[in-house]
Amino acid sequence: MSDPAIIAARALIERTGAAQPVVRTFFDEATFTATHVVSDPATGKAAIIDSVLDFDPASGRTTTTSADAVIAHVREAGLAVEWLLETHAHADHLSAAPYLQEQLGGTLAIGRHIVSVQQVFGKVFNEGTRFARDGSQFGRLFDDGDTFMLGSIPAIALHVPGHTPADMAYVIGDAAFIGDTLFMPDYGTARADFPGGDARVLYRSVRRLMGLPVQTRLFLCHDYKAPNRDVFVWETTVGDQRTGNVHIHEGVDEDAFVTMREARDATLGMPRLILPSIQVNIRGGRMPEPEDNGVSYLKLPLNSL
């Protein structure tokens, strides 16, 4: 394998040994989203990955019930939040990262290719010049292969586009938080038909992740319960994905995957919260600037997507 970032990630996993992060997951059934609180047991330092702000589209009201449960856990466990990590600009839920940052601190981070998503959706929503398209809403923009620390545990960021241009996975010790690239083996892979998505690129990103050691724990951003499964699940391993993923197990070649993925995507409707979610998440989880009456508004572009 000649992929420097994956080689570095493999080495990181292999040398961390017993330095395994503790993961506590909060599942929001309304959006099928798994928020992970990842902590270093030696130092109590923590990261919160892919948080959820509760949103009722019928009333336009937001609440913080999901985020408050995360906050309560962090405080009860005596954790200190270093990072608020986003795997991508989600299309199915609003991020609670600014609220969590206000309550708990930490650096808000995402992949550098968020600027591409901001450019695309800045046009979709006809955003004015006050909307910065340079990623400045985030405290850190990761490039592929960037390293960082969670307490005493080494970590590395991997660019895994395909679902969107900006998807990132974060390898922290022996665990990888992979966003929407993969679902549980019995459910398959993420869609690739959003603006900037690409099924062929997704295939290559998944193959990169499958180059990690077989014992690597994989934590997913979503679960939708595969047929004949009655419980939500969000943790698997590289080995299980290699042998059991119904869309992209070992032996499935790129062209076959692309044909399957594009045909499947053509049957899917848009996520229920895509329009409000994207507007908020490209701003790092912040609402659009209030208008002269002090109220923030979300746009609903007609016949555009």
Side-chain angles (χ1 to χ4, degrees):
M1 177 182 291
S2 59
D3 185 327
I6 294 297
I7 292 171
R10 288 183 63 92
L12 180 154
I13 293 166
E14 289 163 358
R15 75 171 181 267
T16 52
Q20 297 180 357
V22 174
V23 183
R24 168 70 186 276
T25 300
F26 295 80
F27 190 76
D28 176 50
E29 194 166 338
T31 62
F32 305 101
T33 303
T35 296
H36 306 293
V37 180
V38 192
S39 60
D40 172 16
T43 65
K45 303 296 185 182
I48 301 172
I49 303 177
D50 292 336
S51 61
V52 174
L53 181 70
D54 304 304
F55 176 66
D56 175 21
S59 67
R61 292 190 177 276
T62 62
T63 55
T64 59
T65 303
S66 295
D68 287 337
V70 172
I71 292 168
H73 167 70
V74 167
R75 290 176 174 164
E76 289 168 8
L79 303 177
V81 174
E82 288 190 315
W83 296 98
L84 300 160
L85 301 176
E86 300 286 350
T87 55
H88 62 296
H90 306 276
D92 39 33
H93 70 273
L94 283 63
S95 170
Y99 175 69
L100 292 169
Q101 188 176 48
E102 178 184 286
Q103 297 293 317
L104 301 171
T107 299
L108 174 57
I110 200 168
R112 186 173 302 279
H113 289 271
I114 187 62
V115 299
S116 300
V117 179
Q118 289 176 329
Q119 292 286 349
V120 169
F121 283 99
K123 294 176 181 176
V124 169
F125 293 112
N126 196 32
E127 298 286 0
T129 56
R130 288 200 301 173
F131 171 57
R133 296 162 171 83
D134 58 2
S136 57
Q137 300 87 346
F138 301 85
R140 171 98 183 248
L141 299 180
F142 284 114
D143 289 307
D144 185 49
D146 279 354
T147 57
F148 60 104
M149 298 294 292
L150 180 66
S152 63
I153 299 178
I156 188 168
L158 301 174
H159 184 214
V160 286
H163 173 58
T164 79
D167 282 66
M168 299 297 291
Y170 301 104
V171 179
I172 303 173
D174 75 325
F177 300 85
I178 62 173
D180 287 12
T181 51
L182 285 166
F183 299 131
M184 290 302 292
D186 59 359
Y187 201 89
T189 56
R191 65 193 298 168
D193 60 330
F194 294 152
D198 188 304
R200 197 167 296 278
V201 172
L202 177 62
Y203 178 91
R204 296 169 187 175
S205 291
V206 171
R207 288 295 181 226
R208 290 189 82 202
L209 291 173
M210 288 186 177
L212 297 173
V214 293
Q215 73 273 17
T216 306
R217 294 184 290 163
L218 299 182
F219 290 89
L220 317 178
C221 187
H222 296 287
D223 186 52
Y224 301 99
K225 287 185 183 173
N228 303 316
R229 176 156 55 82
D230 295 327
V231 296
F232 292 109
V233 190
W234 46 78
E235 180 181 350
T236 179
T237 66
V238 167
D240 287 343
Q241 293 284 7
R242 286 186 191 177
T243 59
N245 189 285
V246 294
H247 290 167
I248 199 168
H249 56 79
E250 289 177 342
V252 175
D253 67 28
E254 184 172 314
D255 288 340
F257 174 79
V258 170
T259 298
M260 178 282 301
R261 187 69 263 174
E262 290 181 346
R264 183 176 175 85
D265 288 349
T267 70
L268 301 177
M270 283 292 177
R272 183 175 65 96
L273 296 181
I274 183 171
L275 295 175
S277 295
I278 292 292
Q279 287 176 82
V280 170
N281 294 337
I282 59 177
R283 291 176 163 86
R286 299 171 185 87
M287 299 297 167
E289 289 289 330
E291 298 191 7
D292 56 10
N293 62 354
V295 177
S296 294
Y297 290 87
L298 295 171
K299 294 180 177 179
L300 185 67
L302 300 179
N303 304 313
S304 294
L305 295 176

